[in-house]
Amino acid sequence: MNYDELVNTTMEVGYLLLSNGAEIYRVEDSMRRIFRAYGVETGDVFVIPTCIFATVETGQGKPITGFKRLYTRVTNLDKVERANDLCRVVCYKKPDFQTVREEVRSIDQRPAYGFWTQVAAYALIAFSFTLFYSGSFADACCALVCGAAVRLVIDFMGRFSTNSFFMNIAASCVAATLALLAVQFGFGANTDKIIIGALMNLVPGIVITSFMRDVIAGDLIAGLIRFVESLLVATAIAIGAGVALLAPRLIWGV
């Protein structure tokens, strides 16, 4: 048994899961199962949203440790599902490590939705939530434009590797500003409904759900990290929208 290869390969599977939005317990459980599939019962795994640690003991009692730092995370449930399927195949068939790594790379390189498809999705989300929160059809049409603008701002700032905190501030500020202008020119009637619909694209719903699940599961450190992350996102959204709403009053007194 090549324990170094086992640790490195298992780390790649765990990294694939975590970087695409899988829960902490799912990553840890999947990695432990792979260790056991290859006959290693002493595998220990510790995962938080920004890094993965894994240690196994060789037959001679020598510890082999792996560490992988995570810098960016997205939510891609298609890749999470395929990584889960890969874990099941590994546990049942026990393929060689090279085959597993090639499959990990294949899953990781799967194309995401195109940019304009994402813009359309952001727009439709804003449109739908505005109607859900009792906005008029005209408000929903305004939110459609605001939602698309949110995605455009995120893409533009992402090209400069902007911190996500400032990215959310800018996106929420632009969305709120467009909502104010739409109502000012008579295209919509309810500024609040338009803003709420557009900003639902930025609300960290999955992060909030994940931190509650992590805390309940006993992963307190991971839960607290996700909790702080959700607070920062909410703060950024509030700052951006607040600037858009207060700036006209402070500058022109309107």
Side-chain angles (χ1 to χ4, degrees):
M1 167 67 72
N2 189 327
Y3 290 95
D4 289 310
E5 285 288 303
L6 173 62
V7 171
N8 291 335
T9 302
T10 306
M11 293 283 288
E12 288 192 24
V13 176
Y15 186 88
L16 178 65
L17 284 165
L18 186 62
S19 63
N20 286 288
E23 307 92 324
I24 297 298
Y25 83 89
R26 186 187 302 275
V27 179
E28 291 183 341
D29 183 62
S30 298
M31 293 178 68
R32 290 193 190 102
R33 288 177 181 271
I34 293 175
F35 285 145
R36 288 197 295 268
Y38 288 94
V40 178
E41 298 291 339
T42 57
D44 289 320
V45 181
F46 177 72
V47 179
I48 59 176
T50 54
C51 59
I52 302 174
F53 299 88
T55 300
V56 300
E57 285 188 10
T58 66
Q60 294 75 35
K62 178 184 176 181
I64 304 293
T65 300
F67 166 78
K68 206 167 183 64
R69 181 73 164 83
L70 187 70
Y71 294 97
T72 58
R73 281 176 289 126
V74 298
T75 300
N76 191 322
L77 298 183
D78 173 61
K79 291 184 179 181
V80 171
E81 180 183 2
R82 292 177 182 276
N84 277 333
D85 292 339
L86 174 61
C87 291
R88 296 187 184 98
V89 171
V90 170
C91 290
Y92 285 120
K93 296 185 177 180
K94 303 177 185 60
D96 61 89
F97 299 132
Q98 181 62 32
T99 301
V100 177
R101 287 197 296 271
E102 288 176 357
E103 186 61 28
V104 168
R105 284 192 288 271
S106 175
I107 295 172
D108 190 47
Q109 292 170 2
R110 283 181 60 81
Y113 290 108
F115 172 70
W116 291 109
T117 302
Q118 295 180 39
V119 171
Y122 272 64
L124 289 174
I125 288 171
F127 180 89
S128 302
F129 272 107
T130 300
L131 293 178
F132 178 80
Y133 288 111
S134 304
S136 66
F137 182 77
D139 294 335
C141 291
C142 295
L144 192 81
V145 176
C146 295
V150 167
R151 184 66 187 91
L152 293 172
V153 171
I154 290 174
D155 178 72
F156 175 76
M157 299 192 70
R159 297 179 183 181
F160 301 97
S161 301
T162 307
N163 184 283
S164 61
F165 182 79
F166 298 104
M167 195 181 295
N168 285 323
I169 290 177
S172 62
C173 184
V174 169
T177 300
L178 290 176
L180 288 171
L181 291 175
V183 173
Q184 186 70 25
F185 287 102
F187 295 110
N190 301 290
T191 305
D192 55 340
K193 304 295 192 303
I194 299 172
I195 293 176
I196 290 171
L199 296 187
M200 287 303 292
N201 282 293
L202 301 176
V203 172
I206 293 178
V207 175
I208 294 172
T209 304
S210 297
F211 95 71
M212 288 298 297
R213 181 181 295 160
D214 290 337
V215 170
I216 292 172
D219 297 316
L220 299 180
I221 296 177
L224 288 174
I225 291 173
R226 291 189 189 274
F227 174 66
V228 172
E229 181 183 354
S230 64
L231 286 181
L232 288 174
V233 174
T235 301
I237 294 173
I239 291 173
V243 168
L245 292 171
L246 294 177
R249 297 182 183 181
L250 295 175
I251 297 174
W252 296 292
V254 298

